[in-house]
Amino acid sequence: MYREGIQARMFHFQMSSLRMAVRTFSSSSSVAQMVRPPISVFGIEGRYASALFSAASKENQLQNVERDMVLMGQVMEKNREAAEMLQSPIVTKHEKKQMLQRLAQEHKISPLSLNTLAAMSENGRLGLIHKFLKTFAQIMSAERGEVQVTVTTAKPLDASQGKALEAALAKFSTKGQTMRIEAKVDPTIIGGMIVSIGDKYVDMSTASKIKMYSKIIEETV
C-alpha cells in the first residue's frame, strides 16, 4: 500500500509536469509565431498593439485595421459619451461590450479590431485606449518607413527656419525612410531647441545649458 501510494504520487507529479511543459511549449510556440512590429513598444498598451499588428499582418488586414484604429481615435475625440463610458471603471464589462458592438456596426469596424478592443474591455484595460491607439499608430508609421521627429522651440519657426531644419534633419534618414516632423512650442526652454528623432533625444535648449552651467558653478563653489 505504501509503495502504491508513492507510485500514485509520482504519477500525479509526472502528469502535472507534463501539463506544465505542454503549456510552456504552447506559449513559446505562440510567441515564436508572432509577427514582430518594426519598432519596440512597451507597457500593457504595447502588448495589445503588438498582438493586433501581428494578427493583422498574418491576415493581410493591416490597412483595414489601421483605418479602424483611426476611426476609434476620432470616436474617442468627438463622442464624449462613448469615450467616458468605455473608460469608466463604474460601467460594467457587458455595457462596454454592447457599446463597442454598436460602434463597430456604425463605423464598419472589422471583427479583428473589435475582438482586440473587446479583449481590452474584458481585462479592464480600456482605460489605456488612448495610449493603445497612439502606440499602434507609431507601429504603423514605422512599418511604412516613417521616422517620427519632434522639434520643440521657444518660439514658432518661420518658413525659412522650417525649411532649413527639414534639410538638416533629412541627413539623419536612410534610404526608404520619410521624416514626419512635429513642431512644438515651449517658452520655458527660453531658446535653442529640443529634437527627438525616433528613440534619440538631443537637448540643445538654453534652459538645459543654464541648468548645466548652474550645476558646474554649484560644484566648484
Side-chain angles (χ1 to χ4, degrees), residues 37-39 41 49-50 53 135-144:
I39 56 173
V41 291
S50 296
F53 174 81
T135 301
F136 189 80
Q138 290 172 341
I139 290 174
M140 290 304 301
S141 179
E143 177 71 6
R144 288 189 293 271

Side-chain angles (χ1 to χ4, degrees), residues 58-91:
K58 292 177 183 177
E59 297 185 18
N60 295 319
Q61 292 291 318
L62 277 176
Q63 288 186 341
N64 291 337
V65 168
E66 183 179 23
R67 167 197 165 276
D68 294 341
M69 296 301 104
V70 170
L71 281 173
M72 278 303 301
Q74 293 172 350
V75 168
M76 297 298 290
E77 183 179 346
K78 297 177 181 178
N79 190 335
R80 179 170 294 183
E81 180 184 355
E84 291 179 353
M85 182 176 180
L86 290 175
Q87 296 177 94
S88 172
I90 301 174
V91 178

Side-chain angles (χ1 to χ4, degrees), residues 4-54:
E4 291 175 354
I6 292 177
Q7 290 176 341
R9 285 196 295 272
M10 285 294 294
F11 179 79
H12 178 72
F13 174 78
Q14 290 168 350
M15 289 298 99
S16 298
S17 300
L18 179 59
R19 284 193 292 269
M20 185 177 295
V22 169
R23 285 197 297 270
T24 302
F25 177 78
S26 299
S27 176
S28 300
S29 297
S30 62
V31 170
Q33 292 170 1
M34 281 191 66
V35 178
R36 295 186 178 277
I39 56 173
S40 297
V41 291
F42 306 96
I44 295 171
E45 65 274 12
R47 292 205 295 270
Y48 280 102
S50 296
L52 179 57
F53 174 81
S54 177

Side-chain angles (χ1 to χ4, degrees), residues 145-171:
E146 298 172 355
V147 179
Q148 298 298 320
V149 180
T150 303
V151 179
T152 305
T153 54
K155 297 179 180 179
L157 299 175
D158 59 32
S160 61
Q161 290 173 327
K163 288 182 179 179
L165 179 62
E166 288 180 9
L169 291 173
K171 297 177 182 179

